[in-house]
Amino acid sequence: MERCRIFYKFSINIIVFLCLLVASDGQDSSQMAPEGGFLKREYSLTKPYSSNGMTMPFWDFRDRTMLTNNFIRLTSNHQAEVGSVWNKIPLYLRDWEMQVQFKVHGGGRTLGADGFAIWYTKERMTPGPVFGSRDEFHGLGVFFDTYKNGPQAVTFPQITAMVGNGSVKYDHMTDGKSNAIGSCLASFRNKDYDTLVSIKYVKETLQIRLDIDGLGEWRECFSMPGVKLPTGYFIGMSAATGDLADNHDLINVKFFHMDAGRSAEEEAEDWSTVLPGVSYLKPPIDNRDDVGSGDFRNSSVSGFKLFLLVVCILLGVGVCVVVGVVVFQKRQAQNRKRFY
Ligand SMILES: *[C@@H]1O[C@H](CO)[C@@H](O)[C@H](O)[C@H]1NC(C)=O
Ligand SMILES: [Ca+2]
């Protein structure tokens, strides 16, 4: 009888554990490793960010940036602030994907400013006029622009991306549109749910996807082939406020090395001297103001999880029946013993 009870408890524990595992579909799976992706801890930024509140192992920060237990605040909801975090280790991987969970929120119900940027650049830790960081940069800038500076009739916020070669300036008067390699509208301010962006750079194609509707799926902002970015640059994030302001918070950064199936010769090539740029002379901008419908982020997983859930329930029912029968039989046997 005692052995039976222990077995019963053990089985229930296993089942509860399995079911919890299957059911815990929220936070974690939203940033599961993409197919062919390997998490690189030294380029990621996850909680706890810091053991002492002052330093982070792989990242530096400056200006108004503030570390808390649950987020990194690049700027707070005050006028004329800048802040940034920068990774310390030059990145020598050619194919990667970066998933960033962020939160932009402030008192202005419809208006905030100026936005934040995610960088992959030669320069680091240099404040300036482009979302809190320097202009005439070498490399990639992805801008989450919440304030319309230019006269063009478009809705905001919008996301634009630019590849700089060190001599091109970010164009504030067109909100970066005049030299953008792609853009899309994206309403990411003041959301109650998680907002995420994926920046994927594999085989010289830059793809930007968003999960900002609380649906747990990626939809494409834009995709651009022929983007040349050398290795050896730095990852960073910066933000700025102006007359209007917002809290610009980073929740986490998950960085994956992507297996692009490159040949050994390709792997051996030195890509640190490549000039940043785009193969196309006239990049097709303005063609993607509407974000397309994306694939379900977890679709392949959902099927598997459903299967696990069914197995889990069947297992639970099975064990309950077996244990019930065993207990019943033992009771019967004991009753019989008592009678005779
Ligand atoms: C950078 O790009 C601009 C615009 O495409 C071009 O005019 C300039 O010559 C380039 N500079 C370098 C150093 O390649
Ligand atoms: Ca702007």
Side-chain angles (χ1 to χ4, degrees):
M1 202 59 192
E2 189 54 31
R3 202 179 300 162
C4 174
R5 205 174 296 139
I6 288 170
F7 170 72
Y8 181 70
K9 271 192 181 160
F10 178 73
S11 310
I12 292 295
N13 279 341
I14 295 262
I15 288 161
V16 166
F17 175 73
L18 271 176
C19 291
L20 281 179
L21 209 67
V22 171
S24 68
D25 199 9
Q27 197 82 353
D28 287 11
S29 68
S30 70
Q31 284 177 300
M32 255 177 331
E35 213 179 310
F38 304 92
L39 186 77
K40 302 297 278 185
R41 209 156 285 284
E42 62 271 39
Y43 300 111
S44 297
L45 188 51
T46 52
K47 296 175 208 174
Y49 312 114
S50 168
S51 54
N52 56 11
M54 305 291 287
T55 56
M56 293 182 280
F58 303 114
W59 298 77
D60 289 319
F61 60 100
R62 59 169 296 154
D63 304 308
R64 300 312 289 256
T65 301
M66 190 174 76
L67 306 185
T68 77
N69 287 335
N70 294 313
F71 54 84
I72 296 169
R73 181 152 290 171
L74 297 172
T75 75
S76 57
N77 190 12
H78 295 112
Q79 292 183 332
E81 288 195 357
V82 298
S84 58
V85 293
W86 285 92
N87 189 269
K88 294 178 187 179
I89 310 154
L91 177 63
Y92 283 100
L93 299 170
R94 269 176 76 177
D95 306 288
W96 45 264
E97 177 170 342
M98 194 184 345
Q99 296 180 358
V100 180
Q101 187 182 337
F102 60 91
K103 191 170 176 66
V104 177
H105 55 116
R109 223 170 64 81
T110 52
L111 280 179
D114 283 309
F116 72 100
I118 300 176
W119 302 96
Y120 173 67
T121 53
K122 186 177 182 176
E123 302 82 11
R124 68 187 288 278
M125 293 293 275
T126 328
V130 187
F131 299 92
S133 201
R134 59 160 279 166
D135 207 346
E136 297 177 304
F137 53 88
H138 291 81
L140 172 71
V142 181
F143 310 122
F144 296 72
D145 191 344
T146 48
Y147 186 76
K148 182 167 90 103
N149 300 79
Q152 75 278 30
V154 287
T155 339
F156 269 69
Q158 65 170 311
I159 295 173
T160 55
M162 168 180 168
V163 174
N165 64 6
S167 58
V168 185
K169 268 188 165 26
Y170 174 83
D171 184 10
H172 283 278
M173 279 330 289
T174 61
D175 291 289
K177 277 259 182 162
S178 65
N179 33 36
I181 61 167
S183 69
C184 69
L185 296 182
S187 168
F188 53 76
R189 283 187 74 242
N190 289 339
K191 302 296 183 196
D192 294 330
Y193 43 78
D194 299 344
T195 46
L196 297 102
V197 60
S198 156
I199 300 173
K200 186 176 172 185
Y201 181 61
V202 171
K203 291 228 155 184
E204 284 76 63
T205 293
L206 179 74
Q207 185 192 33
I208 298 191
R209 293 177 301 165
L210 303 167
D211 172 12
I212 56 170
D213 300 319
L215 299 174
E217 68 182 60
W218 293 121
R219 58 192 178 114
E220 189 173 81
C221 174
F222 72 87
S223 181
M224 173 60 107
V227 175
K228 300 274 182 289
L229 294 170
T231 54
Y233 282 7
F234 296 95
I235 296 163
M237 291 87 197
S238 69
T241 62
D243 290 340
L244 292 168
D246 261 332
N247 298 299
H248 294 100
D249 298 345
L250 289 176
I251 316 299
N252 64 47
V253 178
K254 296 203 174 162
F255 187 96
F256 303 96
H257 178 203
M258 299 300 288
D259 178 7
R262 291 185 185 274
S263 65
E265 292 112 70
E266 266 189 299
E267 293 285 1
E269 283 168 357
D270 178 12
W271 267 71
S272 62
T273 55
V274 168
L275 278 179
V278 183
S279 303
Y280 300 89
L281 283 177
K282 216 171 177 339
I285 58 161
D286 271 338
N287 60 346
R288 209 55 207 251
D289 267 348
D290 231 353
V291 276
S293 64
D295 48 339
F296 271 91
R297 266 196 328 198
N298 301 323
S299 61
S300 62
V301 174
S302 294
F304 183 60
K305 285 220 165 174
L306 194 67
F307 167 75
L308 274 183
L309 195 66
V310 169
V311 167
C312 202
I313 289 166
L314 288 181
L315 243 158
V317 169
V319 167
C320 283
V321 167
V322 167
V323 168
V325 166
V326 167
V327 168
F328 180 74
Q329 281 178 342
K330 289 234 168 181
R331 287 250 169 91
Q332 288 280 42
Q334 270 175 348
N335 282 350
R336 241 176 276 133
K337 262 186 227 149
R338 218 175 292 148
F339 269 122
Y340 298 108

Short mmCIF file of all heavy atoms in Angstrom, two decimals, residues 10 14 20 23 31 70-71 88 119 204 221 223 235 245 274 277 283 293 311 337 339:
data_model
loop_
_atom_site.label_atom_id
_atom_site.label_comp_id
_atom_site.label_asym_id
_atom_site.label_seq_id
_atom_site.Cartn_x
_atom_site.Cartn_y
_atom_site.Cartn_z
N PHE A 10 4.59 10.01 -7.17
CA PHE A 10 5.66 10.21 -8.14
C PHE A 10 5.07 10.45 -9.54
O PHE A 10 5.44 11.40 -10.22
CB PHE A 10 6.58 8.98 -8.13
CG PHE A 10 7.69 9.04 -9.12
CD1 PHE A 10 8.77 9.89 -8.90
CD2 PHE A 10 7.67 8.26 -10.27
CE1 PHE A 10 9.81 9.95 -9.81
CE2 PHE A 10 8.71 8.32 -11.19
CZ PHE A 10 9.77 9.16 -10.96
N ILE A 14 5.29 13.82 -11.92
CA ILE A 14 5.82 13.79 -13.29
C ILE A 14 4.81 14.40 -14.25
O ILE A 14 5.15 15.23 -15.09
CB ILE A 14 6.12 12.33 -13.72
CG1 ILE A 14 7.24 11.76 -12.87
CG2 ILE A 14 6.43 12.26 -15.22
CD1 ILE A 14 8.60 11.81 -13.48
N LEU A 20 2.90 21.34 -16.95
CA LEU A 20 3.36 22.72 -16.77
C LEU A 20 4.32 23.10 -17.88
O LEU A 20 4.25 24.19 -18.44
CB LEU A 20 4.06 22.87 -15.41
CG LEU A 20 3.13 22.99 -14.21
CD1 LEU A 20 3.94 23.12 -12.93
CD2 LEU A 20 2.21 24.21 -14.36
N ALA A 23 2.33 23.68 -20.91
CA ALA A 23 1.44 24.85 -20.82
C ALA A 23 2.20 26.17 -20.78
O ALA A 23 1.66 27.21 -21.12
CB ALA A 23 0.57 24.73 -19.57
N GLN A 31 10.67 33.97 -27.50
CA GLN A 31 12.02 34.24 -27.99
C GLN A 31 12.83 32.96 -28.07
O GLN A 31 13.98 32.90 -27.68
CB GLN A 31 12.71 35.26 -27.10
CG GLN A 31 12.21 36.66 -27.36
CD GLN A 31 12.84 37.66 -26.44
OE1 GLN A 31 12.72 37.56 -25.24
NE2 GLN A 31 13.53 38.61 -27.00
N ASN A 70 14.28 44.85 -13.85
CA ASN A 70 13.38 44.33 -14.87
C ASN A 70 13.50 44.97 -16.25
O ASN A 70 12.91 44.48 -17.20
CB ASN A 70 11.93 44.45 -14.39
CG ASN A 70 11.68 43.56 -13.20
OD1 ASN A 70 12.06 42.40 -13.21
ND2 ASN A 70 11.10 44.12 -12.16
N PHE A 71 14.22 46.06 -16.32
CA PHE A 71 14.43 46.70 -17.62
C PHE A 71 15.65 47.60 -17.56
O PHE A 71 16.14 47.93 -16.48
CB PHE A 71 13.18 47.50 -18.06
CG PHE A 71 12.72 48.51 -17.04
CD1 PHE A 71 13.28 49.77 -16.97
CD2 PHE A 71 11.71 48.18 -16.13
CE1 PHE A 71 12.86 50.69 -16.02
CE2 PHE A 71 11.28 49.10 -15.18
CZ PHE A 71 11.86 50.35 -15.13
N LYS A 88 30.56 45.10 -25.70
CA LYS A 88 32.00 45.37 -25.64
C LYS A 88 32.82 44.59 -26.65
O LYS A 88 33.98 44.90 -26.89
CB LYS A 88 32.53 44.99 -24.24
CG LYS A 88 31.98 45.84 -23.12
CD LYS A 88 32.53 45.33 -21.78
CE LYS A 88 31.87 46.05 -20.63
NZ LYS A 88 32.35 45.57 -19.32
N TRP A 119 21.84 49.37 -33.27
CA TRP A 119 23.00 49.60 -34.12
C TRP A 119 23.85 48.34 -34.32
O TRP A 119 23.97 47.51 -33.43
CB TRP A 119 23.91 50.65 -33.48
CG TRP A 119 23.27 51.98 -33.21
CD1 TRP A 119 22.72 52.39 -32.03
CD2 TRP A 119 23.14 53.07 -34.13
NE1 TRP A 119 22.24 53.67 -32.14
CE2 TRP A 119 22.48 54.12 -33.43
CE3 TRP A 119 23.49 53.27 -35.47
CZ2 TRP A 119 22.19 55.34 -34.02
CZ3 TRP A 119 23.19 54.48 -36.06
CH2 TRP A 119 22.55 55.51 -35.33
N GLU A 204 23.78 38.06 -46.44
CA GLU A 204 23.70 39.45 -46.94
C GLU A 204 22.26 39.93 -47.15
O GLU A 204 22.03 40.97 -47.79
CB GLU A 204 24.49 39.63 -48.26
CG GLU A 204 25.99 39.69 -48.07
CD GLU A 204 26.61 38.33 -47.80
OE1 GLU A 204 26.52 37.46 -48.67
OE2 GLU A 204 27.18 38.13 -46.70
N CYS A 221 8.54 43.50 -41.52
CA CYS A 221 8.58 44.94 -41.76
C CYS A 221 9.13 45.14 -43.17
O CYS A 221 8.48 45.72 -44.02
CB CYS A 221 9.46 45.60 -40.71
SG CYS A 221 9.76 47.36 -40.93
N SER A 223 12.37 43.27 -46.06
CA SER A 223 13.49 42.38 -46.29
C SER A 223 14.29 42.96 -47.46
O SER A 223 13.71 43.41 -48.44
CB SER A 223 12.96 40.99 -46.64
OG SER A 223 14.03 40.11 -46.84
N ILE A 235 27.49 45.91 -31.48
CA ILE A 235 26.04 46.01 -31.30
C ILE A 235 25.76 47.04 -30.22
O ILE A 235 26.42 47.06 -29.19
CB ILE A 235 25.46 44.65 -30.87
CG1 ILE A 235 25.68 43.62 -31.98
CG2 ILE A 235 23.99 44.75 -30.54
CD1 ILE A 235 25.52 42.22 -31.49
N ALA A 245 8.67 63.43 -24.94
CA ALA A 245 9.53 62.41 -24.35
C ALA A 245 8.80 61.08 -24.23
O ALA A 245 7.58 60.99 -24.41
CB ALA A 245 10.02 62.86 -22.99
N VAL A 274 35.22 44.57 -45.69
CA VAL A 274 34.14 44.90 -46.62
C VAL A 274 33.59 46.30 -46.31
O VAL A 274 33.46 46.67 -45.15
CB VAL A 274 33.01 43.86 -46.47
CG1 VAL A 274 31.75 44.29 -47.19
CG2 VAL A 274 33.48 42.50 -46.97
N GLY A 277 27.47 48.86 -47.26
CA GLY A 277 26.69 49.45 -48.34
C GLY A 277 25.62 48.49 -48.83
O GLY A 277 25.44 47.42 -48.28
N PRO A 283 17.69 52.00 -53.86
CA PRO A 283 16.96 51.05 -53.03
C PRO A 283 15.46 51.29 -53.10
O PRO A 283 15.02 52.44 -53.12
CB PRO A 283 17.49 51.30 -51.61
CG PRO A 283 18.20 52.59 -51.67
CD PRO A 283 18.58 52.85 -53.08
N SER A 293 1.63 40.24 -43.91
CA SER A 293 1.29 39.23 -42.90
C SER A 293 2.43 38.23 -42.81
O SER A 293 2.92 37.75 -43.82
CB SER A 293 -0.01 38.53 -43.28
OG SER A 293 0.20 37.84 -44.48
N VAL A 311 -0.82 13.79 -25.29
CA VAL A 311 -0.10 12.69 -24.65
C VAL A 311 -0.17 12.84 -23.13
O VAL A 311 -0.42 11.89 -22.39
CB VAL A 311 1.38 12.67 -25.10
CG1 VAL A 311 2.22 11.76 -24.22
CG2 VAL A 311 1.47 12.23 -26.56
N LYS A 337 -9.65 -10.15 3.62
CA LYS A 337 -8.85 -10.67 4.74
C LYS A 337 -9.58 -10.44 6.06
O LYS A 337 -9.62 -11.28 6.94
CB LYS A 337 -7.48 -9.98 4.78
CG LYS A 337 -6.38 -10.80 4.14
CD LYS A 337 -5.05 -10.13 4.35
CE LYS A 337 -4.26 -10.09 3.05
NZ LYS A 337 -3.39 -8.94 2.97
N PHE A 339 -12.69 -10.15 6.54
CA PHE A 339 -13.89 -10.97 6.70
C PHE A 339 -13.57 -12.40 7.15
O PHE A 339 -14.27 -12.95 7.98
CB PHE A 339 -14.67 -11.02 5.37
CG PHE A 339 -15.70 -9.92 5.30
CD1 PHE A 339 -15.68 -8.98 4.27
CD2 PHE A 339 -16.65 -9.79 6.31
CE1 PHE A 339 -16.61 -7.97 4.20
CE2 PHE A 339 -17.58 -8.77 6.25
CZ PHE A 339 -17.57 -7.86 5.19
#
